[in-house]
Amino acid sequence: MKKVPSGITPVIPIDKHAPKSLYRQVYEGYRKAIMDGGVRPGQRVPSTRVLAQELGISRIPVLSAYAQLLAEGYFESRVGSGTVVSRSLPNRAAAGQPMNGATAKSDSRRRQLSKRCLVLASRRDFHNRRGVGPFVGSQIAADQFPLQIWNSLVTRHSRGMQARALDYGDPTGLKELREAIAAHLRTARGVHCETEQILITSGSQQGLEVTARVLLDEGDRVWMEEPGYIFARSVFAFAGCRMVPVPVDEEGLNVAIGVKKCRDARAVLVTPSHQYPLGVTMSASRRLQLLDWAESRGAWIIEDDYDSEYRYESMPVTSLQGLDGNSRVVYIGTFSKVLFPSLRLGYVVIPADLADRFLAVRFAMDISPATFYQAVVADFIREGHFSRHIRRMRALYSERRGALIESLKKEFGATAEIIGAQAGMHLAVVLKGIPDREIAERAAAQGLCLVPLSPFYMEEALQQGFILGFASTPAEEVPAAVRKLKALVNSKAVLAAHA
Ligand SMILES: Cc1ncc(COP(=O)(O)O)c(C=O)c1O
């Protein structure tokens, strides 16, 4: 006979000295758990033996309580599938029984939250609104990922897993992965680093979070690229920093304006290889100005190098960290673009003298990164699949990018300015004076996911347009998508609403 798994034991308060019988306590405890929604219809109940053991009582009162619950229809029993909470009972949770706290009166004195958490925007709809479609940013060509190789590595690691792999991992990350990353960064990105300087994180987002906690205090001023990466802003807002928007032009962050606005900022966040969202590459002179400013003011440079493995018209540009002779740069990278974002693996290259503080902060946050997928990625890199995949995707994305540029030129001509297409997985199309947010909303209603440019500005948006991802759309599907975009931009309703 098939063995039926035992269910989870609910919280049933038992008082052996109470005048109420143990049978009655179990019966009432279970019934209350069902009525409160802690145990739901269809949920398996533990065996009488397990429940008796966990409650520390004999099996007899449990048997009697179960018999009563069965007789009254709270439980049902089927041969082969064990005893479950009756499926015919109304699901009180699904029927709108409130979640804990959902009806709490909004007396702000009694339900006081941290000021820090209140500065963050709501993200309830983040996942639902991400959408799919021809222009979705940060979307890889998922159907081209070498899943067969990946799956065989996952199988190899799960089959070969040994008891010692169950312990906490190294808080800085798996050594084999850190070695592989350090070698990749030294060679492909010109980063000056040793294995000991690499800290594995949950995506670059956690890399930013750790970095902010190590380097910055509440009230510190931080230069932010304007327009800039919205998710990074939440990290600095959360840390209580005051953000100073510094404009980006065709040479990248304008250092002179930054100095004029706030010479004594404590740090700057930059995306020098492929500015997010405009896509420009920071010029050599701006890089040197930035490094000089940081050294002269004792400021930190946080370099987010998120997608520069993909460069189409020239070799990848060297990282800013590689130019830095004063250990002022904290370099952050991610596997979200070159592998896939659900992996949640990124890394920080830490100035050697700060390793201990980064480690202490990382430890305080989540002790250590999960080890399993680190081992898989380490082998993926060491066995050559990583560099092969990047080469393949570079060629594919280059073709898709070419198709997008050609279609944009054909449909929009001189009315659209295409910028930032030389690298990465997105470009920016600037369309003068259009209501980009409204167009994006209208597009969503038609199943087209567009990322408007104006929300990336902290102050008044100086440019309007869209950030168009091109990595996930086959070249042959691009012309129709661009025609749809053009129809939306030219739609009378949108123009009239904006007039
Ligand atoms: C500027 C920038 N940095 C980093 C990332 C990647 O973040 P994560 O590694 O947390 O997935 C993205 C993703 O779109 C990005 O646009």
Side-chain angles (χ1 to χ4, degrees), residues 138 202-206 229 271 276 304 306 333-337 341 344-346:
S138 306
S202 167
S204 55
Q205 192 69 15
Q206 194 189 32
Y229 183 42
T271 47
Y276 197 88
D304 177 5
Y306 61 103
T334 178
F335 286 108
S336 287
K337 309 278 183 172
R344 303 314 299 138
L345 276 180

Side-chain angles (χ1 to χ4, degrees), residues 445-461:
Q446 296 181 23
L448 186 69
C449 184
L450 288 177
V451 178
L453 180 55
S454 31
F456 290 90
Y457 285 86
M458 295 176 73
E459 295 178 333
E460 189 197 345

